[in-house]
Amino acid sequence: MFSLINTFISTLSQESKNTLITHEIKIPEVANLTFDYPSFLRVIDMLCIDLAVKDWFAHPNYGKISYTSTQIKLLLSILTTHLLHNSSFIDTLKISHTTIIKTTGTTSDIILDIIHQIPKTTKNCFSNLKEFQYNSDTPIMEDLFLKLSQITISIERICFTIYKNMTNSALTLLKSQRNLKELTIQYHIMYDILIDQKAVSTFLDKSN
């Protein structure tokens, strides 16, 4: 992961690199790259990006013993924005919005900020999104689902692992998809809820 993050950082614009340097984040020295690696990215897994960035900071080759949450958030934000803007399209989006992740990182908030900047009518990296996975043990991010429903209508597979009940925003996301083929809804075991009738009805209506 250390080498991968090094590679992605090396593809940042000079302006982004200068921002990192201002916040005392080292810029790795990477030889001329053969490919434009971010353009080949098809899967965005925010948990993996979160862990990879933290591992990068903690790696012995990084050269610093300590780092701050501000530095982590900054690199996560700049790197995720860069990867999304330079990928021709994202096929799969995975977001974990759990108590542990919220305590140690801010990836779900970062992806929401990025998505909010995408105009409704503009073709974007999520225009051809095929799979969306969302894992949360806290209340659903209403704004995230509503915004996704506005910028993509091509999702075929949705997997929710959620806290308590489905919400109207989640149902709006389901209804907006024109080719939804597979829906999985799981609830965290602490809640005695086995099935969500509204979500199932929405899916069945779209299947008819």
Side-chain angles (χ1 to χ4, degrees):
M1 282 296 185
F2 182 76
S3 297
L4 182 61
I5 296 299
N6 274 350
T7 299
F8 285 145
I9 291 176
S10 69
T11 64
L12 292 173
S13 67
Q14 191 56 52
E15 180 182 0
S16 293
K17 290 179 180 178
N18 290 340
T19 300
L20 296 179
I21 292 171
T22 300
H23 288 79
E24 299 183 345
I25 298 175
K26 290 176 58 178
I27 304 300
E29 296 181 5
V30 178
N32 292 333
L33 299 174
T34 307
F35 303 104
D36 179 16
Y37 290 99
S39 68
F40 294 99
L41 194 64
R42 296 293 177 265
V43 177
I44 289 289
D45 186 329
M46 293 307 296
L47 176 57
C48 286
I49 294 175
D50 180 279
L51 295 176
V53 165
K54 289 169 185 170
D55 284 347
W56 183 82
F57 274 110
H59 196 280
N61 290 343
Y62 177 65
K64 281 190 68 174
I65 297 177
S66 62
Y67 48 89
T68 67
S69 59
T70 299
Q71 289 174 313
I72 293 174
K73 182 176 181 179
L74 178 64
L75 182 54
L76 280 170
S77 180
I78 288 178
L79 206 54
T80 304
T81 302
H82 174 67
L83 294 176
L84 288 175
H85 286 176
N86 287 276
S87 172
S88 54
F89 72 89
I90 299 299
D91 180 82
T92 302
L93 175 62
K94 302 179 182 181
I95 295 178
S96 292
H97 188 65
T98 65
T99 304
I100 294 175
I101 300 302
K102 286 189 69 178
T103 301
T104 60
T106 54
T107 53
S108 52
D109 296 324
I110 287 170
I111 193 70
L112 179 57
D113 288 342
I114 295 171
I115 290 175
H116 264 302
Q117 298 172 28
I118 300 176
K120 297 180 184 179
T121 57
T122 304
K123 184 175 176 60
N124 58 80
C125 61
F126 292 119
S127 295
N128 296 309
L129 189 67
K130 299 301 180 187
E131 181 172 350
F132 176 53
Q133 297 183 22
Y134 181 82
N135 175 32
S136 175
D137 61 5
T138 59
I140 282 177
M141 298 176 67
E142 300 284 341
D143 288 349
L144 173 65
F145 287 177
L146 289 175
K147 185 61 180 179
L148 273 178
S149 69
Q150 295 169 354
I151 63 174
T152 182
I153 56 174
S154 60
I155 302 177
E156 297 178 0
R157 296 175 299 279
I158 293 180
C159 178
F160 290 131
T161 303
I162 57 176
Y163 164 93
K164 292 190 176 180
N165 297 323
M166 293 280 286
T167 63
N168 288 334
S169 64
L171 294 173
T172 297
L173 177 62
L174 294 181
K175 292 176 182 178
S176 66
Q177 304 311 306
R178 296 180 178 176
N179 199 29
L180 186 60
K181 298 176 180 177
E182 183 178 326
L183 173 63
T184 302
I185 305 173
Q186 303 175 73
Y187 293 91
H188 283 274
I189 197 167
M190 66 186 76
Y191 302 109
D192 187 23
I193 303 175
L194 299 179
I195 195 165
D196 190 292
Q197 295 294 343
K198 287 185 179 179
V200 171
S201 297
T202 298
F203 181 63
L204 290 176
D205 288 343
K206 294 184 68 62
S207 300
N208 294 332

